[in-house]
């Protein structure tokens, strides 16, 4: 999934991945314009091989990211979870925390 936020936009997103036996791959890319904000929450549970990647490109001036993730593995779960926050715009802020 790819999302582009224009000037002054707000995105509130909840991403959930709950797979038991099948391998999965998820790629989420968000590009933020001037003065736009992203609030993202992620829940990943189980999976035989679950790869989940989130890329946030804060290219606008004063763009911001607030990200919280929760990863729950059990039994023979194999989870690969990656979050990238890249700042190219001036005065941007970001916060990201993942618990496993």
């Amino acid at each position: 999934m790819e999302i582009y936020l224009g000037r002054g936009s707000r995105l509130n997103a909840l991403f959930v991945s709950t797979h038991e036996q099948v391998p999965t791959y998820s790629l989420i890319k968000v590009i933020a314009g001037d003065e736009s904000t992203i609030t993202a929450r992620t829940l990943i549970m189980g999976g035989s091989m679950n790869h989940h990647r989130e890329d946030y490109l804060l290219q606008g001036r004063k763009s911001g990211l607030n990200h919280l993730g929760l990863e729950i593995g059990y039994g023979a779960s194999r989870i690969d979870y990656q979050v990238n926050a890249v700042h190219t715009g001036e005065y941007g802020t970001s916060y990201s925390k993942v618990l496993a």
Side-chain angles (χ1 to χ4, degrees):
M1 173 182 4
E2 188 169 315
I3 300 168
Y4 177 77
L5 297 177
R7 181 183 193 93
S9 298
R10 291 183 146 195
L11 173 66
N12 294 316
L14 172 63
F15 304 111
V16 178
S17 178
T18 57
H19 298 280
E20 292 294 326
Q21 301 299 320
V22 297
T24 62
Y25 174 81
S26 303
L27 172 60
I28 298 155
K29 182 177 182 180
V30 181
I31 301 169
D34 289 348
E35 299 176 7
S36 58
T37 59
I38 304 161
T39 303
R41 303 294 181 256
T42 305
L43 171 63
I44 299 173
M45 293 180 61
S48 62
M49 182 57 230
N50 194 351
H51 176 79
H52 183 87
R53 178 175 167 177
E54 298 175 38
D55 292 339
Y56 298 97
L57 177 57
L58 304 167
Q59 69 181 17
R61 289 176 49 94
K62 299 181 182 179
S63 58
L65 167 66
N66 183 315
H67 172 267
L68 295 175
L70 178 60
E71 173 185 316
I72 302 173
Y74 49 86
S77 296
R78 299 293 180 261
I79 301 171
D80 179 29
Y81 183 17
Q82 181 179 358
V83 177
N84 299 306
V86 179
H87 292 264
T88 59
E90 295 176 319
Y91 310 110
T93 61
S94 65
Y95 174 82
S96 180
K97 184 174 185 177
V98 176
L99 302 173

